[in-house]
Every structure is written in structure tokens, then in C-alpha cells.
Amino acid sequence: MRIANGLDEASSVHWHGMHLPARMDGGPHQMIDPGGTWTPRWSVDQPAATLWYHPHPHGATEQHVRKGLAGMFILDDERSTKLALPKRYGVDDLPVIVQDVRFDGAKLDGGRKIMQNVGFLGDRTMVNGTLHPYREVDDELIRLRLLNASTARTYAFGFPDDRAFSLIATDGGLLERPESMDRLQLSPGERAEIVVRMRAGERVMLRSFPQDNYGDSWQRRFGGGDDSFDVLELRAAEELRPSPGIPTALGELETPDGTDAVRGRHFDLKRSGINKRSMDMGRVDETVTRGTTEVWTVRNSNGMPHNFHVHDVQFRVLEVNGEAPSAALRGPKDTVFLPNGTTMKLALRFTGPADPDTPYMYHCHLLFHEDEGMMGQFVVVEKGQRAQAPSGTRGTPGHSGHKHG
Ligand code: C2O
Ligand code: CU
Ligand code: CU
């Protein structure tokens, strides 16, 4: 990749969902100066998936992403190309990058209202950078690659007639089998691929609906949980090309099931920091051994919604509040939504390469929270190796080690 920074401030480009060496990750330790270039290289070695990329400058990620620096990154592989799924890009396989915005005249307005403790919430919705988006479609089955690229807003996607659709993939790729549902919740950073059946000549609106798990009435009202709005209109042709039915089996999951886990870790999510610590670019919070599987328990009892994203890996959700995960959480994940009162157990395998002095991040992907310090760093080392103090730390002056009450 060759990235040129044409901005007048430093930024970075992070490959969200990609399994790659820590130095190529594009996090806050790989800043690109204004006018500078960055040329990371790695071999793509992971299953087909819908990934994305966005800047990750510590303390300023929300502003950089909100202003539009984000894009989708689609991986194919042999298995995904052989399956009878809609896969003609832009025809029956559509990228759907969803962001909320607010305008002040012709300019984007990024102001956060005082009661919005989740961060910025826009009052309009864009898909692929377009307002009032619609798409003409000519096929019976349409695959939508949904990406929540918003900085704070969580969506509950569905259709006004409550038609069922098939979930075929989550963040890190295909499920074992399609799961039928009529609502799908995605918090910032999450992706999902769904297949929807169209009727000839119809117009159907993909919408976002109110979310009953969002929190108390305050959270629902001021945090966006009560909102409902149009996202993307699909306009079906008078005659549709017949699509083959989608396969009943999609393949095996590569994510670990946790039975070979060698250790557990706990992460307590608070707006003031994870495990009572605010992000510090110079501190390595966790050290994991290359090639091992771990079970991470992540808990939110902070009275507001959070989510949890881990760089470099795709993980499996083992449990949500002691129960087996719902259909939407059965595929490979790198980001999960944790409404207040949620505890999740995740199985993660770290397959390297080891780099004791370059950390990966884990954080809340509500970017306002991330910028405030809801982020930590982990390194992957060879057995017996110790983490070093992060090298090449440029950082953004004045943005590490904040204290929040
Ligand atoms: Cu999508 Cu650390 O980020
Ligand atoms: Cu990421
Ligand atoms: Cu958060």
C-alpha cells in the first residue's frame, strides 16, 4: 500500500479487521506526517471478508473519521467465489457504508450535544457518501455489505414490512450457515453481509429502527436508541433476473472455540478507561504469546453503551451474559456491541508474527470514547519474550495519559 498524506495535519490509516504485523497496522504508532507517505506491506492471509480502513490518530480519530476518511476493503477467497451467493460487485453485491452527518449550511458540523454521552450523532444518513441514496436492482437476491462507519451511532437495520433476510457474514467473514432474521444491530465499526429477496417492481427501504437493548430511557432518547430513519432505498426492476437459492451451508469457522485457551483476561469498560486506566501510548497493557488461544471476558456496567474492538484478530463470541450468543454473533467478529449490563466471553487466537516493541490496540469503537482514553495496548511476543517500551512513538502531543473523572 502506498499512502500519501495530503492533509495539513498528521494522520494514519488503520486496516480494521486485517490480520497483519503490528508495524503495518496503521494505529497511533504509525503516524504519517503532513506531506509524508507510508508504504506498509503484508501478505493477506485470512478468509474472505468485508473489512474497512480509517485513520487512528490518538485523540483525534473521531474528527478524522467523521470528516469522511473511511473506506471499505473487500477480500475474496476460493471458497467465497465458489459459493452460489450474489457476488457481482455493484450489481447484486453492494457496498453499503453508513455514516450519519449533520450540516451547518454547506459545511459538516461535528458538534456533540451536551447530553450525547456516546459522542457525535448526526441528523442525516449517508450511504457511500450520498444523501437520500437509492439503488436500482435487477436481481431477485441482493447482497448488502453493511458497514457501520459512524463514529457513535448504533443502527438496527431492517425493512418496514419486517421481511426476513439472511445474514451470511459478520466482521471477519462467512458464517457456518445463513441465519434468517428481520432486524440486525450494528454498532460503530461492525460489518455484516445480508441477502435480501426483492419482488419485481417494488421499492423497499432499508431502515434503522428503535433499539430496546440500548439502555434506560435517557440513553434511548439522547443516545440515539429511540431513533428510526431511512438508510437506503432499493428500487426493483419490473422484471428481475432469477437468482439461485443461497447455500444452506457456507463452511467451517476458523475462529477458535476456546477449548485450547491457555489463559483468561478481564476487561472492564468504563468511559474513564479500560480496567481503570486511560490510554497511554508508552504503556503496554497486555502481553500475549504468539500461537496461543485466550478467553477474554469483557464487561460493561458503566450505565451507557460501549463496544469492544480488538486489532489483528477475528474472535468467536462464546457467551453473552452466560448464554450462547444470538444468531448475529455466531460468525467471526472483531468488534462487538456491549449495552450496559453485558458481559461477553470471547475466544481469540494470536498467530503472530511476534513483535515485542510494537503494540496493537483494543478499544471502544465509539470514537469519542476512544479519543478520551478508552483504549489499551497489547503486544504479541514469542514464548518467554518480554514486551519492550513502544518504539517509534510519535504520538500526538498532549493526547496521552489524560485523566477523566
Ligand atoms: Cu476501527 Cu482501532 O479501529
Ligand atoms: Cu481495528
Ligand atoms: Cu464507549
Side-chain angles (χ1 to χ4, degrees), residues 14-18 25 52 54 56 309-312 334-335 361 363 365:
H14 165 59
W15 318 100
H16 181 132
M18 194 74 80
D25 190 42
W52 68 303
H54 62 79
H56 217 300
H309 167 50
V310 186
H311 286 208
D312 182 51
D334 58 49
T335 308
M361 308 293 132
H363 57 89
H365 217 289

Side-chain angles (χ1 to χ4, degrees), residues 117-118 269-271 300 302 304-308 338 363-370 372 374:
N117 60 13
V118 295
L269 305 183
K270 289 255 178 343
R271 186 171 157 193
N300 174 13
N302 194 210
M304 66 181 77
H306 291 301
N307 74 4
F308 191 69
L338 289 105
H363 57 89
C364 178
H365 217 289
L366 277 60
L367 300 179
F368 171 55
H369 294 174
E370 176 192 329
E372 281 189 321
M374 264 193 93

Side-chain angles (χ1 to χ4, degrees), residues 13-36:
V13 179
H14 165 59
W15 318 100
H16 181 132
M18 194 74 80
H19 172 53
L20 37 52
R23 283 162 201 274
M24 311 302 170
D25 190 42
H29 294 281
Q30 290 89 38
M31 294 296 286
I32 317 167
D33 284 324

Side-chain angles (χ1 to χ4, degrees), residues 8-284:
D8 54 16
E9 60 186 290
S11 192
S12 78
V13 179
H14 165 59
W15 318 100
H16 181 132
M18 194 74 80
H19 172 53
L20 37 52
R23 283 162 201 274
M24 311 302 170
D25 190 42
H29 294 281
Q30 290 89 38
M31 294 296 286
I32 317 167
D33 284 324
T37 56
W38 182 53
T39 322
R41 51 177 75 222
W42 71 92
S43 304
V44 174
D45 183 16
Q46 67 188 87
T50 301
L51 311 181
W52 68 303
Y53 53 91
H54 62 79
H56 217 300
H58 183 42
T61 294
E62 181 190 43
Q63 294 307 316
H64 287 220
V65 174
R66 185 185 60 72
K67 289 176 182 170
L69 287 178
M72 187 179 280
F73 198 134
I74 295 175
L75 300 183
D76 290 327
D77 64 13
E78 222 175 300
R79 168 160 66 114
S80 72
T81 44
K82 278 193 188 132
L83 287 168
L85 292 169
K87 50 170 147 324
R88 280 165 302 151
Y89 179 80
V91 179
D92 59 1
D93 179 355
L94 309 176
V96 182
I97 305 172
V98 186
Q99 292 170 298
D100 56 340
V101 284
R102 192 161 60 222
F103 288 97
D104 173 10
K107 286 183 62 179
L108 281 174
D109 171 11
R112 180 182 62 88
K113 303 231 174 72
I114 191 81
M115 273 158 330
Q116 291 172 346
N117 60 13
V118 295
F120 167 82
L121 292 172
D123 56 1
R124 305 187 68 182
T125 310
M126 293 194 311
V127 170
N128 303 341
T130 304
L131 293 166
H132 299 299
Y134 68 89
R135 174 75 208 185
E136 281 150 6
V137 295
D138 299 296
D139 293 273
E140 277 175 1
L141 292 181
I142 300 297
R143 176 187 196 163
L144 301 175
R145 294 177 186 255
L146 303 170
L147 158 60
N148 181 351
S150 293
T151 58
R153 186 179 285 285
T154 294
Y155 299 83
F157 293 106
F159 298 93
D161 60 2
D162 295 333
R163 75 181 61 188
F165 49 83
S166 300
L167 176 73
I168 57 167
T170 51
D171 302 333
L174 295 167
L175 309 186
E176 282 181 313
R177 64 190 68 85
E179 300 278 0
S180 176
M181 54 190 65
D182 59 18
R183 291 287 183 276
L184 176 68
Q185 193 174 34
L186 291 185
S187 67
E190 291 184 281
R191 290 87 64 210
E193 299 175 31
I194 62 172
V195 176
V196 194
R197 180 169 292 278
M198 305 296 302
R199 293 182 210 99
E202 74 171 341
R203 288 188 174 193
V204 60
M205 190 61 87
L206 176 71
R207 279 179 64 82
S208 183
F209 293 89
Q211 299 159 57
D212 56 10
N213 66 347
Y214 205 72
D216 60 15
S217 56
W218 177 278
Q219 288 301 337
R220 290 200 306 271
R221 177 145 175 228
F222 298 109
D226 278 345
D227 296 354
S228 56
F229 46 87
D230 293 347
V231 176
L232 170 68
E233 190 184 48
L234 297 172
R235 299 181 179 174
E238 289 304 325
E239 254 181 78
L240 294 175
R241 270 191 297 263
S243 309
I246 61 172
T248 51
L250 302 171
E252 303 259 297
L253 290 184
E254 288 187 14
T255 47
D257 61 11
T259 49
D260 58 344
V262 298
R263 70 168 284 176
R265 294 177 205 261
H266 284 80
F267 298 88
D268 185 46
L269 305 183
K270 289 255 178 343
R271 186 171 157 193
S272 53
I274 298 176
N275 291 341
K276 299 199 167 73
R277 286 190 296 206
S278 185
M279 167 73 174
D280 182 338
M281 297 268 293
R283 182 189 69 224
V284 173

